[in-house]
Amino acid sequence: MQSTLRVVLGDQLSPAIAALADIDAERDVVLMAEVQAECTYVKHHAQKLVLVLAAMRHFAQALQARGVRVDYVRLDDPANTHTLRGEVQRAAARHALARVVATEPGEWRVAEDMRCWQALLGGIEVEIRDDARFFCRIQDFIAWARGRKTLRMEFFYRDMRRRHGLLMEGGEPVGGRWNFDAENRKALPKTVRPPKIPAFPPDGITRDVIALVNARFPDHVGSTDGFSWPVTAAQARVALEDFIAHRLPQFGDWQDAMKTGAPFLFHALISTSINLGLLDPREVCEAAEQVFRDGQAPLNAVEGFIRQILGWREYVRGLYWLHMPGFGQQNYLKATRPLPAFYWTGETPMNCLRQAIGDTIAHAYAHHIQRLMITGNFALLAGIDPAAVDDWYMAVYADAYEWVEMPNTRGMALFADGGIVGSKPYAASGAYINRMSDYCKTCAYDVKDAVGPRACPFNFLYWDFFARHRQVLGGNIRLAMPLRTLERMDVGKVSRMREKARAFLDSE
Ligand SMILES: Cc1cc2nc3c(=O)[nH]c(=O)nc-3n(C[C@H](O)[C@H](O)[C@H](O)COP(=O)(O)OP(=O)(O)OC[C@H]3O[C@@H](n4cnc5c(N)ncnc54)[C@H](O)[C@@H]3O)c2cc1C
Ligand code: SF4
């Protein structure tokens, strides 16, 4: 009896994934494989490895409980070839196959590999299906992009709101506006205490994976200690419900705030689950809309949250596939410095970086503004090589997959794409960090100073950045203000700041 091999990748853990859509439980086999190549192409954070492998094992168990035959290859299987293609080939030899069905992957390099499978399998038909877990299919994004001069997220987002009817009333946006972002940039008052987040202590399956990861990947960043990410769809739903009930109402107000010792604040902590397939983005957005309709969360919070998922998440995915493989080569500002060693340890006197990197190493998580305006902003101002920055973000965050990491890193944070994702670089001096966080209060540097012995590095790096790139950024109307300020600045002060920047960067 010939069967279909249904390949499920580690970030495709949804029962409704396209590869399983028409499964015949009697005849078909699901292949899931833990392979070294995927665990090591960057040195992923120990908690990310535990998360993906534990979620895969739980998902396989859930499929088996439904009577589905799962051919599950473990990392410590002596026959494991440790590549996806090797495991598909071995599975083809184990089972009498009529065809192979897979769902399109989230990374270009895996998509390229999949294109070779049919030839490797001696002509057994390989069908690669669209990933229907997104609101916008890749072809639909490409059609939307065709003929447009600029691909601004805001216009894409409005289209998506209309198309999917989220937060709409009679063809118009609820509340009469598409975007409430201006209301979502408040600093966190001292008196506001972020709520506790739910914990998901490891069960037996996850404890086995923790032991495996500790034994096999001791040189990867971070530790498995305190691992508490949701690894099943049921846990992910609990995490979502907790966010909706306790943090969503204030999500908008404090979305951009940063606070020492409070890595999660009012954020959702659901990117790991959505990216793995444990949560469906539709279910997430509909749940958020419902609490607004029930009067339990304000519009600025719910719109701000839905925009992140229906807007940003879909938009960066579309841009990734539209521009790959070229996206991975973009380096508009010709940045070449190596990544400073402190990115891997957090050991720097710059308190903002110490906090953001410390949170990252401890939890494989930092929230958006820490990623964008602290670690990303520093890498932008310092001119760090985008490839090194990409590798760092891919390695350290539990939610990192190239389709979502690269446009955020190269595009949003580094402006290496020359303005595809954002219309200007998100460059900021210490004043922004001081406004949005409590980090500067206990820092060794003085955030108000740009030239003295205790000058905040973000200040002199900020002006050095604009001085360095004034030619290439000069035509950008959105940068007219900082560039004009730079022109009017005392020449001696500018050269002192540039000298400080040079000395500082050379010492890192
Ligand atoms: C330099 C940089 C690198 C990033 N790398 C990743 C990454 O590898 N993986 C990843 O999932 N996100 C990435 N992001 C986006 C964002 O920072 C994370 O999705 C978010 O911090 C996850 O935490 P949360 O679930 O608490 O999100 P919340 O702040 O609560 O937001 C809710 C959800 O919106 C989505 N979202 C928000 N912003 C974005 C965005 N810019 N792009 C895509 N989705 C978004 C996520 O699914 C997130 O779970 C990156 C951002 C930057 C600036
Ligand atoms: S003073 Fe400068 S380096 Fe220190 S925390 Fe503030 S912004 Fe960061």
Side-chain angles (χ1 to χ4, degrees), residues 14-194:
S14 321
I17 194 78
L20 300 181
D22 47 359
I23 190 165
D24 178 339
E26 298 280 297
R27 287 159 43 135
D28 296 350
V29 183
V30 173
L31 174 69
M32 296 180 69
E34 302 173 354
V35 295
Q36 187 89 1
E38 293 301 312
C39 296
T40 53
Y41 69 92
V42 292
K43 284 187 187 291
H44 301 285
H45 194 293
Q47 292 196 21
K48 181 183 181 186
L49 291 175
V50 173
L51 170 68
V52 177
L53 298 176
M56 284 174 73
R57 291 186 182 190
H58 282 92
F59 184 73
Q61 192 186 52
L63 285 180
Q64 281 159 341
R66 280 173 36 203
V68 174
R69 281 200 298 155
V70 182
D71 185 348
Y72 194 96
V73 184
R74 287 180 178 239
L75 205 57
D76 46 11
D77 179 339
N80 192 329
T81 58
H82 290 298
T83 63
L84 273 173
R85 60 161 65 185
E87 287 317 292
V88 172
Q89 275 181 293
R90 279 205 318 128
R94 278 195 296 276
H95 309 284
L97 294 185
R99 64 184 184 135
V100 173
V101 176
T103 310
E104 62 188 357
E107 304 199 349
W108 175 267
R109 82 196 150 79
V110 183
E112 285 290 279
D113 192 54
M114 275 187 181
R115 279 190 256 283
C116 307
W117 286 4
Q118 188 153 319
L120 283 172
L121 298 176
I124 294 175
E125 183 203 345
V126 176
E127 184 193 348
I128 299 168
R129 297 180 174 171
D130 286 357
D131 189 344
R133 293 175 301 169
F134 291 86
F135 283 100
C136 185
R137 293 183 323 153
I138 294 167
Q139 303 92 296
D140 293 340
F141 187 88
I142 292 169
W144 173 81
R146 198 172 295 130
R148 283 173 197 260
K149 269 214 205 105
T150 56
L151 304 179
R152 290 289 156 251
M153 198 295 284
E154 186 60 31
F155 298 111
F156 169 75
Y157 167 60
R158 291 178 191 181
D159 262 22
M160 295 294 284
R161 288 266 297 274
R162 286 191 200 96
R163 212 182 306 166
H164 295 280
L166 280 159
L167 291 179
M168 297 296 290
E169 231 153 40
E172 295 298 320
V174 169
R177 272 156 58 195
W178 293 103
N179 184 321
F180 291 79
D181 214 17
E183 290 161 41
N184 290 354
R185 293 181 189 134
K186 297 188 186 124
L188 194 73
K190 266 199 207 128
T191 48
V192 174
R193 298 244 169 278

Side-chain angles (χ1 to χ4, degrees), residues 349-353 430 433-434 439-440 443-447 456-458:
M350 287 176 281
N351 192 36
C352 51
L353 280 157
I433 297 171
N434 194 30
Y439 296 153
C440 302
C443 185
Y445 293 106
D446 178 358
V447 72
C456 164
F458 278 88

Side-chain angles (χ1 to χ4, degrees), residues 196-229:
K196 268 185 103 164
I197 57 153
F200 301 97
D203 62 3
I205 294 178
T206 305
R207 282 197 300 274
D208 282 352
V209 173
I210 288 175
L212 180 77
V213 167
N214 288 342
R216 263 188 117 97
F217 307 103
D219 57 337
H220 283 219
V221 62
S223 153
T224 56
D225 292 351
F227 178 87
S228 189
W229 290 103

